[in-house]
């Protein structure tokens, strides 16, 4: 098995993201969405009533508290320290919005996010 340092993989994949996905289509879609031009999916979603925001906030808080309790009480089964849950939740809060915007407007998944999910957290 060939062992490659994680920083080398990170630099390679980050460079791949910047080179491969920086074409005109990404910028055109971003500019169009920034100017308020609705795409097909946005027009279709306008037909439905919005869900109240407090539902999402309540779900977030309850799931985080349940996860925290499980990390503390069932630490032998969960095998994740409480501080790692807070760190992972912080990473998710930081990266979710920018990655979602890029994915939604360009229909491209960044290799960098796949690297974070698989290489660093899978062991």
């Amino acid at each position: 098995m060939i062992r490659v340092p994680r920083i080398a993989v990170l630099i390679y994949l980050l460079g791949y993201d910047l080179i491969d996905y920086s074409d005109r289509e990404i910028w055109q879609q971003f500019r169009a969405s920034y100017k308020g031009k609705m795409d097909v999916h946005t027009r279709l979603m306008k037909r439905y009533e919005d869900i109240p925001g407090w539902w999402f906030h309540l779900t977030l808080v309850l799931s985080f508290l349940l996860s925290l309790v499980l990390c503390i009480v069932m630490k032998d089964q969960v095998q994740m320290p409480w501080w790692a849950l807070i760190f992972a939740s912080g990473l998710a809060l930081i990266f979710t919005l920018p990655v979602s915007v890029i994915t939604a407007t360009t229909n491209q998944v960044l290799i960098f996010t796949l690297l974070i999910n698989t290489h660093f957290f899978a062991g």
Side-chain angles (χ1 to χ4, degrees):
M1 174 190 252
I2 298 174
R3 303 286 291 175
V4 178
R6 291 181 180 183
I7 191 68
V9 175
L10 178 70
I11 291 170
Y12 171 76
L13 290 177
L14 184 60
Y16 178 78
D17 275 343
L18 294 175
I19 292 169
D20 191 41
Y21 295 127
S22 61
D23 57 1
R24 292 182 194 161
E25 183 181 347
I26 292 175
W27 293 111
Q28 288 171 354
Q29 289 290 338
F30 178 74
R31 286 188 200 125
S33 66
Y34 190 73
K35 292 178 182 176
K37 182 179 177 184
M38 289 195 296
D39 63 348
V40 175
H41 305 290
T42 306
R43 286 195 306 268
L44 290 173
M45 290 304 294
K46 289 288 183 187
R47 297 180 185 171
Y48 299 102
E49 186 178 332
D50 287 340
I51 297 173
W54 63 268
W55 285 18
F56 297 107
H57 296 116
L58 182 66
T59 304
L60 173 68
V61 169
L62 289 178
S63 63
F64 180 77
L65 289 176
L66 179 63
S67 301
L68 191 61
V69 167
L70 289 175
C71 283
I72 294 170
V73 174
M74 301 178 69
K75 56 184 161 189
D76 292 336
Q77 288 83 12
V78 176
Q79 298 180 359
M80 181 176 193
W82 61 269
W83 57 266
L85 176 70
I86 295 172
F87 178 72
S89 299
L91 278 179
L93 286 173
I94 291 169
F95 283 113
T96 297
L97 183 63
V99 169
S100 299
V101 167
I102 292 170
T103 304
T105 56
T106 64
N107 198 22
Q108 301 286 333
V109 177
L110 297 177
I111 302 296
F112 181 68
T113 58
L114 296 175
L115 168 76
I116 290 174
N117 290 334
T118 58
H119 190 68
F120 284 106
F121 293 116

